[in-house]
Amino acid sequence: AHKAQLLQYLQMTSQTEYSVFLTAFFANKVEHESRHCNGKGLQRQGSSYFDRVYTANQNCGHAYPTFLAVLWCAGLLCSQAPAAFAGLMYLFVRQKYFVGYLGERTQSIPGYLFGKRIILFLFLMSVAGILNYYLVFFFGSDFEIHIKTITSAISPLLLIP
């Protein structure tokens, strides 16, 4: 039982590590474009391409704490496998958003909207886990199996654009 629980947490920790890698990649892209445009250190003034890279990185950075919070809350309070799947999908969507932002700004909109849907799914998983805790605490009714079944069934629907 201990190994199974450790494996479940390993899924979420690997998502967290991958998200750290992706954030570092985005920051490195900003640094590279800054040096390429200015030939000096990190400076905000530069080409419009640099401005797009910088803005995309800032936007991804602002959403990162929310992503981590709902990922871990959904995984710990509800179900690890659907949360890890949704987390992986969110990271791919953020990559799509970042790359889309580098082209035409309208190319980033699908990634942005898809990312919002995944964050909402993780948030609802967290709320379901919290509600289940209170149902167990106050009424003795445990709906954990039903919630896990529903979230496992719904998580593949995240693939639909």
Side-chain angles (χ1 to χ4, degrees):
H2 179 68
K3 285 186 178 184
Q5 187 177 19
L6 184 61
L7 181 62
Q8 291 174 343
Y9 292 130
L10 184 62
Q11 292 172 337
M12 289 183 2
T13 55
S14 64
Q15 296 305 312
T16 304
E17 290 301 315
Y18 179 66
S19 69
V20 169
F21 170 77
L22 199 59
T23 302
F25 172 75
F26 293 157
N28 188 43
K29 185 77 171 162
V30 171
E31 182 180 359
H32 178 271
E33 281 306 311
S34 175
R35 291 180 194 276
H36 182 278
C37 292
N38 299 318
K40 300 177 186 173
L42 198 60
Q43 296 179 4
R44 184 140 196 319
Q45 299 171 348
S47 70
S48 63
Y49 185 75
F50 170 75
D51 289 338
R52 288 194 307 266
V53 170
Y54 181 82
T55 303
N57 181 56
Q58 289 297 104
N59 292 346
C60 289
H62 291 156
Y64 187 66
T66 303
F67 163 68
L68 282 182
V70 294
L71 172 71
W72 279 94
C73 288
L76 292 174
L77 300 174
C78 191
S79 181
Q80 288 90 6
F85 176 73
L88 184 61
M89 291 304 304
Y90 180 79
L91 294 174
F92 286 132
V93 165
R94 278 323 242 181
Q95 175 70 21
K96 179 179 172 68
Y97 168 80
F98 190 85
V99 170
Y101 208 94
L102 300 183
E104 296 293 321
R105 290 188 183 188
T106 57
Q107 293 175 349
S108 66
I109 292 173
Y112 173 76
L113 295 175
F114 200 28
K116 280 179 46 178
R117 186 170 58 176
I118 293 170
I119 291 291
L120 177 64
F121 174 73
L122 290 169
F123 174 74
L124 291 175
M125 281 182 65
S126 302
V127 169
I130 291 169
L131 288 175
N132 186 55
Y133 171 78
Y134 283 116
L135 286 172
V136 169
F137 186 76
F138 289 116
F139 303 110
S141 301
D142 189 359
F143 292 97
E144 181 179 4
I145 293 173
H146 302 294
I147 292 171
K148 285 184 177 186
T149 302
I150 291 169
T151 57
S152 295
I154 291 175
S155 63
L157 296 177
L158 292 173
L159 295 173
I160 299 171

